[in-house]
Amino acid sequence: MDFTPYLAGLVAGAGLIIAIGAQNAFVLRQGLQRHYIGSVVAVCIFADVGLILLGVGGMGLVVKEQPGLMQWLRYAGAAFLATYGLMALRRAWQGESGLQPAGDGMLSRGRVVVACLAFTLLNPHVYLDTVVLLGSLSTHYEGDARWIFAAGASTASVAWFLSLGYGARLLLPVFRSPLAWRVFDVAIALFMLTLAVVVLRQPLG
C-alpha cells in the first residue's frame, strides 16, 4: 500500500488546521476552563472531517461556483467574530473569566456547542481551506488514493483538536491568576476584532 497520499494529506491538513484561527482560540479557552471540552472537541472534529470529505467528494467545485453564499458567510462570520471580540473585552474589563466551577457563570452545553458550530461554520475561510483547497489537492490522486489523502487530512484534524483541547490543562498553573485571564481575554478580543476586519476586507476565492 502506498502511504504517499496519506502523508500528503496529513501534512496539508496540519498546515491548514494548526494555523491560528478563531475556532482554535475558542477551543483553547474552553480547554483552559475545562468546560464541556469533550463536546467542543467532538464538534470540531466531526465538522472538520465532514468538510474534508465533502471537498474530496467534489463539493469544492460547487462552493467555488456559489460566490453569493460565500459573501453571505463573509458578512455573517465577521459580525459573529466582532460580537465575540466585544464580549471578550467586556469579560476582561469586568474580570468575569477564570477557572470557575461548572454552572457558576458558565454557558450551558447547548450554548457552548452552538458557539463552537458558529466559529466553525460561519468562517468562510474554513470552507476555502477544507472543502476547496484540500478538495483541489486531492485531485492529484485517483481512485482510492483520494480517500487515503482525505484520511491523512482527517487524522491531522483529530490529532490537533484533541491536543489543543485536552493539552490546554498544561497551561492551568499560569491561568490561576485573574490577571492572566484578563490579558488572555484582551488578546482574544484584539484577535477576533482584527480577524473580523480581515474577513470583511479580504476577497474570497
Side-chain angles (χ1 to χ4, degrees):
M1 179 178 176
D2 184 8
F3 283 95
T4 302
Y6 180 85
L7 293 175
L10 185 68
V11 172
L16 293 172
I17 295 165
I18 295 176
I20 296 175
Q23 182 189 48
N24 287 340
F26 179 76
V27 174
L28 178 60
R29 193 173 195 283
Q30 294 302 122
L32 286 169
Q33 290 192 312
R34 297 171 294 179
H35 189 220
Y36 298 133
I37 188 59
S39 298
V40 169
V41 169
V43 168
C44 291
I45 289 175
F46 280 113
D48 231 45
V49 171
L51 291 173
I52 290 170
L53 295 178
L54 285 175
V56 173
M59 187 60 70
L61 296 176
V62 176
V63 171
K64 290 181 71 173
E65 294 174 356
Q66 298 295 328
L69 172 62
M70 296 302 290
Q71 291 304 317
W72 181 87
L73 286 169
R74 181 183 181 185
Y75 293 118
F80 177 77
L81 290 170
T83 299
Y84 192 85
L86 293 174
M87 289 171 60
L89 275 181
R90 187 185 69 177
R91 286 196 306 267
W93 177 260
Q94 298 179 347
E96 294 179 352
S97 294
L99 301 176
Q100 301 167 313
D104 183 11
M106 293 287 197
L107 295 177
S108 66
R109 185 190 301 272
R111 291 187 178 183
V112 168
V113 168
V114 169
C116 188
L117 284 171
F119 275 115
T120 303
L121 302 179
L122 287 181
N123 181 0
H125 294 283
V126 167
Y127 298 92
L128 292 176
D129 288 347
T130 57
V131 179
V132 177
L133 184 53
L134 288 178
S136 297
L137 291 174
S138 73
T139 60
H140 294 293
Y141 305 95
E142 297 181 356
D144 292 342
R146 293 183 63 186
W147 298 107
I148 295 174
F149 175 91
S154 298
T155 299
S157 176
V158 172
W160 171 248
F161 286 119
L162 286 174
S163 300
L164 183 63
Y166 290 102
R169 66 184 62 187
L170 298 176
L171 299 174
L172 287 179
V174 175
F175 284 89
R176 296 197 183 279
S177 164
L179 177 61
W181 273 104
R182 287 192 164 189
V183 172
F184 181 71
D185 272 329
V186 168
I188 289 294
L190 293 176
F191 175 73
M192 296 294 179
L193 293 172
T194 301
L195 190 58
V197 173
V198 170
V199 167
L200 282 177
R201 298 186 61 180
Q202 189 176 57
L204 299 173

